[in-house]
Each structure stands twice: as C-alpha cells, then as structure tokens.
Amino acid sequence: MHGKHKVIVQNNKLHYEFIIKRNITIVQGDSATGKTTLVDMIDVAVRQGESSGIDLICDVPCRVIAGNDWELILSNTKNHIIFIDEENSFINTQEFAEKVNGSDNYFVLITRESLYNLPYSVEEIYGIKSSGKYQNTELIYQQTYQIYPRQESLPIKPRKIITEDSKAGFTFFENICKEAGLSCESSYGKSNIFSVLKKETEDELCVIADGAAFGSEMDKVFKAIRNRKNIKLYLPESFEWIILKSGLIDGNAVKTILAEPEKYIDSTEHISWERFFEKLLVEQTDKTYLKYSKSKLNEAYLHEKNKSAILNSLAEGNLQISPTLPYLK
Amino acid sequence: MLSVYLGKMDEAIYHPPTYFDNRYKDEWITNPLSVSMIKDIDSSDVVGPYLIQSPVLGPISYKELSGGVKTLILLAFDDSGKIFNASACGDNCSKWILRIAEKKDLTINLRHIMDFGSNKFDIRIINTGETVQDMHRFVEIAGDYV
C-alpha cells in the first residue's frame, strides 16, 4: 500500500477523523481519550456493516485484528489498514515484525510500549484528543495529534554532535565538526543513544538520528533529555533525505517526491521511509560524480560547494553546526 | 510503597481491563476512591454499581470504563495477589497509582516509562533493588529495561 488515507469513523455520539500515511502508525497517550472505543467502533462497523449504525469511511478497507489467530488472519488480509488494540501482546514480537515487513497493509497500533522490532517514525506517534463539537452537530470530534511535534526552540548551535550513523553520515558530520572545532562521535546505532546520553555532560549537545525509524527510541530519549536544555534532538528523515533535500541532485523528480513521499513509498518494498530515501539517492546519483554509498561516504560530498549545500539544508532545519563558517546562511 | 518491575514480566496480567471485566465486584465501583478516579480520569459520574454517566457516551456500565480506570480499580481493590501491567494506564493515572501505594504495598509491572510527575516520590525498582525519588533517576533506570 502507498499514499495517504483519510479515515472517518462515526456514530451518533462520536466522530473520529484522521489521516494515515505510513505503514506503521502508533496511537498512545492518556487514558480515557477514546483509543479502544475507536478500535471497537471499527471492529463492529466492519463485522456488521451498515446495520451497525457506524459510518466507516475510507478509500481502502479497514479491519481490526486481535487474538491468537492473528498470523492466519494477517496472512489473508491484503491492502487494508489494520488496527490492533493494546490487549494484543503479539505486536511486540519478532514474528509480528516479520509480518509487517513487506506487508501491503498499513498498521495502526495502540500501545504505550516501545516496539523495538519495528522501524516507525517519530512523526507517526499520535495521541487522540477531543476537539469539541463536530460541524455544529452534537457529535464529539475526536482528532489525532502528534505526541512529538516539531519543536521550534531553535536554532541549535551545538558544541558536540552525536550521530546514530557510523558510516557515511558520520563521516560527513565528523568532517564538518572538525573544521568547526566541534567534537563528533557515533553512538553506533539508534539503540545506543539513550545510554550515550546518560553519560554525557557536554554543553550544547545535538543528537542526529533518522527520524523515520527513531520512534521506538523516542519515549525514553525524550524523557531523558526534556529537563536537560543543553541537549537537542535533530531528527530529519535520514542523512540521505538531507542530501536529497539540499538540491544537489538536478531535476524536479526529487523535489516532487520529497513534497509527498507517501505517494511513492510502497510498504511492500520499504518497511520505513529512510530505506526509500537511501535507495532514491543511490539511484539518482548512479553513474555521476556524486555516486552515493551508505557504507562509505563519497568524498565528493565533502567538496566545498556540495558540503555548503548540505549544510544550508541543515540550517533550514535550524541546525547550525557552526555559525562562523562562511558558507552558512 | 510502590514497587515496579520494569519490562516483560510473564506472570503479570498483561491486559488488566479484560481481567477487570471478568473479576469485577459491585462494591468496587461505588467505593469513594473509585468514584473519584472515575470522575478524574473518565470525567464520568458513578450513579450506582450498574450505572455510570459519561459526558460522551451517556449512561454506561462498568464495561465501558476506560482501560486506565479499570486497571486503577484493580490496583486498589483486587486482593488476588496478581501483578498488573500498569502500562494499560496513561500518564494521567500515575498520581492515582502513587496515591494507592500510600495506603498499601503495591507492586506493578511497567512496560513503558510512565510519567510520575515532577514531585518527589518513593518507587522501588525491583529489577535493581534501588529506590528512586524523582523522574530523572526513574528514567535513567527504566530506559535500560523498557
């Protein structure tokens, strides 16, 4: 499945409305916000159709999966948005992660647990809130909101950078940090960032990680740093996304894709968006002097003009590695 | 005092709301503590053991209470000795968990980092044996287990 899909679920008391645009969406938050009610309404609407009295409106079919025979049901469910409530402990298993990988379904998972087996985006972790009455009716309007909205307490001017990447992305940041007199280190993977931060006492620190797959780490990292004003998180989709966004690659194709990636990213081919962006960058730079490989940074990306374009792209996201460098805005 | 086991705990009741639906006792609902918790978390009024008035859903039974409130009621009144997965509770339930644990020794399982607020508290982490007094230290330890 690809694309974004609006889901409307309503009866005579409640109106839910939200958009799903990636293969994995997490819903969590306070108790009594209507998460289970949402899943129950979808389940009844799917099982009983119009006679349920519930309107379920979406351009693709939705369904709820629960219970011990989830694998069987999932194996026979294609091109659906699948909702799974928190009572189902299987969502935290490797078996479930393997089923999600390559699936043509989108998944909406109700859980407060971190699902380390699944690469989901920090942007697709939502809560549900009531937004008053719906369009002058007596319906309570239930909307989703991002648990981790884009922060604006910027610009970030760090003294030290920590990257989850240990290869191409790290080489790039290590190089520019060296020029700017900053220190840079790799955590060697997203799962180590929490433990690295626990030991860190450095002033003005910035962690750079792939937001497209950082969802499972976000709860503990966010809670660990929320009272440490000197630590900032910079979570672009991925390093490859930064390069694509920098304008280094000629033509409108990349620009068009980046404007609405969900139109082009098929869940059967890419379990998370950062893998799509890597593939896109590899394809777009093949047989050019910018030929990209994640395992080793092509030195062309460190040439002054190219480096400047990438740094400007970072600065647009409000990350200023060093404001003293002449090529920065 | 509150004791917390962090991470997967096989013997814990994974989904307390389901357990509640099948083990609930009438007198739990009308207890003043439950009445207060239902009012605070679900914004609903207890009319009697079989009727609760919800501002959104109208008249409901105990089965339509939120998973968080059902879990809180179990933590307060269930005397089976079961340990419940309190990750069925949102952060808006945490103050009630601390309050329940003021009156009795309470052990819960947590599979996420619950926010217990900015005030001081005493929580014993069963995994490490350490007693923590604030969220900063709680997060430092919990992050290694959940």
Side-chain angles (χ1 to χ4, degrees):
Chain A
M1 185 181 289
H2 61 86
K4 73 180 158 191
H5 307 279
K6 183 191 269 193
V7 182
I8 296 173
V9 188
Q10 66 176 19
N11 59 14
N12 67 340
K13 292 191 168 66
L14 293 166
H15 174 99
Y16 289 89
E17 187 171 322
F18 48 90
I19 287 171
I20 305 295
K21 65 176 187 179
R22 301 198 202 206
N23 60 337
I24 304 168
T25 299
I26 304 292
V27 181
Q28 51 186 223
D30 279 345
S31 291
T33 51
K35 300 181 290 296
T36 295
T37 302
L38 167 67
V39 175
D40 288 347
M41 284 173 67
I42 292 170
D43 191 32
V44 174
V46 170
R47 283 191 287 109
Q48 299 186 28
E50 201 175 329
S51 63
S52 68
I54 296 168
D55 299 325
L56 172 57
I57 303 161
C58 185
D59 64 340
V60 294
C62 300
R63 73 163 300 168
V64 173
I65 288 184
N68 291 336
D69 53 356
W70 65 269
E71 266 185 291
L72 185 64
I73 299 168
L74 193 48
S75 298
N76 292 288
T77 305
K78 311 287 180 197
N79 289 306
H80 278 62
I81 298 177
I82 294 173
F83 292 78
I84 303 178
D85 203 0
E86 65 180 354
E87 69 200 38
N88 297 285
S89 58
F90 65 77
I91 62 172
N92 217 340
T93 63
Q94 183 59 27
E95 290 77 13
F96 179 67
E98 285 168 9
K99 288 283 184 188
V100 172
N101 192 0
S103 173
D104 50 13
N105 300 299
Y106 277 8
F107 294 84
V108 179
L109 309 174
I110 316 288
T111 184
R112 296 185 183 90
E113 291 183 43
S114 295
L115 306 178
Y116 294 108
N117 296 324
L118 292 172
Y120 50 95
S121 168
V122 291
E123 289 191 10
E124 306 305 329
I125 303 175
Y126 295 94
I128 295 177
K129 66 178 178 185
S130 175
S131 305
K133 303 286 185 186
Y134 177 66
Q135 291 183 353
N136 301 321
T137 67
E138 287 306 303
L139 295 176
I140 304 289
Y141 191 19
Q142 300 281 87
Q143 274 185 309
T144 55
Y145 67 94
Q146 284 181 313
I147 299 274
Y148 306 106
R150 291 168 190 272
Q151 302 291 312
E152 298 296 336
S153 57
L154 304 161
I156 305 168
K157 296 175 183 175
R159 300 300 308 157
K160 180 175 181 178
I161 300 270
I162 294 175
T163 68
E164 73 159 273
D165 196 345
S166 60
K167 295 175 182 169
F170 173 68
T171 305
F172 178 82
F173 286 110
E174 184 186 39
N175 185 282
I176 59 169
C177 282
K178 195 174 174 186
E179 281 185 10
L182 312 179
S183 58
C184 182
E185 71 178 65
S186 169
S187 67
Y188 294 94
K190 63 183 176 182
S191 59
N192 295 324
I193 286 176
F194 177 76
S195 53
V196 167
L197 288 178
K198 275 208 298 186
K199 296 173 198 153
E200 201 52 68
T201 55
E202 181 71 40
D203 283 335
E204 296 306 317
L205 182 73
C206 181
V207 174
I208 302 175
D210 294 348
F214 199 67
S216 61
E217 302 294 325
M218 192 59 179
D219 182 46
K220 63 182 176 187
V221 169
F222 183 78
K223 283 172 176 160
I225 68 166
R226 66 182 164 185
N227 293 321
R228 295 174 70 181
K229 304 293 182 201
N230 58 327
I231 300 180
K232 301 287 194 297
L233 292 178
Y234 182 68
L235 303 173
E237 297 283 356
S238 67
F239 179 59
E240 292 80 12
W241 177 84
I242 295 170
I243 295 173
L244 289 163
K245 195 169 163 290
S246 71
L248 277 181
I249 316 299
D250 288 336
N252 285 329
V254 168
K255 213 172 183 178
T256 305
I257 292 171
L258 292 186
E260 293 179 293
E262 64 274 9
K263 278 188 176 175
Y264 305 90
I265 302 177
D266 194 310
S267 63
T268 56
E269 295 172 26
H270 305 283
I271 190 168
S272 68
W273 283 16
E274 97 276 16
R275 298 193 190 175
F276 169 81
F277 292 126
E278 181 190 345
K279 186 179 165 210
L280 180 63
L281 183 58
V282 168
E283 285 172 357
Q284 291 287 327
T285 58
D286 190 30
K287 295 176 183 166
T288 73
Y289 80 107
L290 285 171
K291 185 177 173 59
Y292 181 79
S293 165
K294 194 176 184 66
S295 59
K296 189 171 186 294
L297 185 69
N298 178 343
E299 288 193 0
Y301 288 98
L302 295 172
H303 293 169
E304 211 58 33
K305 179 174 157 248
N306 299 333
K307 188 164 58 180
S308 175
I310 297 169
L311 284 170
N312 278 330
S313 178
L314 292 172
E316 281 173 19
N318 277 320
L319 173 60
Q320 297 186 6
I321 303 287
S322 171
T324 60
L325 290 175
Y327 43 75
L328 278 171
K329 282 178 183 174
Chain B
M1 184 175 176
L2 180 61
S3 299
V4 176
Y5 185 87
L6 296 159
K8 190 168 183 276
M9 186 184 198
D10 289 334
E11 62 269 39
I13 301 295
Y14 182 77
H15 193 242
T18 304
Y19 185 93
F20 175 93
D21 288 350
N22 295 291
R23 296 289 173 135
Y24 141 93
K25 292 179 181 170
D26 290 347
E27 62 266 27
W28 290 355
I29 296 292
T30 50
N31 183 288
L33 176 61
S34 298
V35 171
S36 299
M37 293 192 297
I38 291 167
K39 182 69 180 172
D40 179 48
I41 304 296
D42 288 9
S43 306
S44 297
D45 296 308
V46 175
V47 179
Y50 310 114
L51 182 62
I52 296 143
Q53 186 67 33
S54 159
V56 177
L57 303 172
I60 60 171
S61 77
Y62 66 91
K63 286 210 169 190
E64 283 81 45
L65 289 171
S66 69
V69 154
K70 288 178 180 178
T71 305
L72 287 175
I73 294 173
L74 285 171
L75 296 180
F77 301 112
D78 181 83
D79 55 7
S80 66
K82 303 279 187 199
I83 294 171
F84 296 99
N85 170 20
S87 286
C89 295
D91 288 341
N92 54 339
C93 296
S94 66
K95 66 175 185 284
W96 290 105
I97 293 176
L98 291 172
R99 220 172 282 182
I100 293 165
E102 285 172 4
K103 306 282 185 194
K104 68 175 191 180
D105 287 332
L106 176 65
T107 299
I108 61 172
N109 176 214
L110 276 179
R111 299 173 184 229
H112 81 296
I113 301 178
M114 178 171 275
D115 189 341
F116 286 99
S118 54
N119 294 333
K120 293 284 180 189
F121 48 70
D122 284 311
I123 296 177
R124 188 172 73 91
I125 310 287
I126 296 170
N127 310 62
T128 62
E130 184 179 340
T131 298
V132 298
Q133 272 84 37
D134 57 44
M135 272 309 289
H136 176 73
R137 184 63 187 144
F138 181 68
V139 171
E140 277 192 335
I141 296 175
D144 290 334
Y145 291 94
V146 300

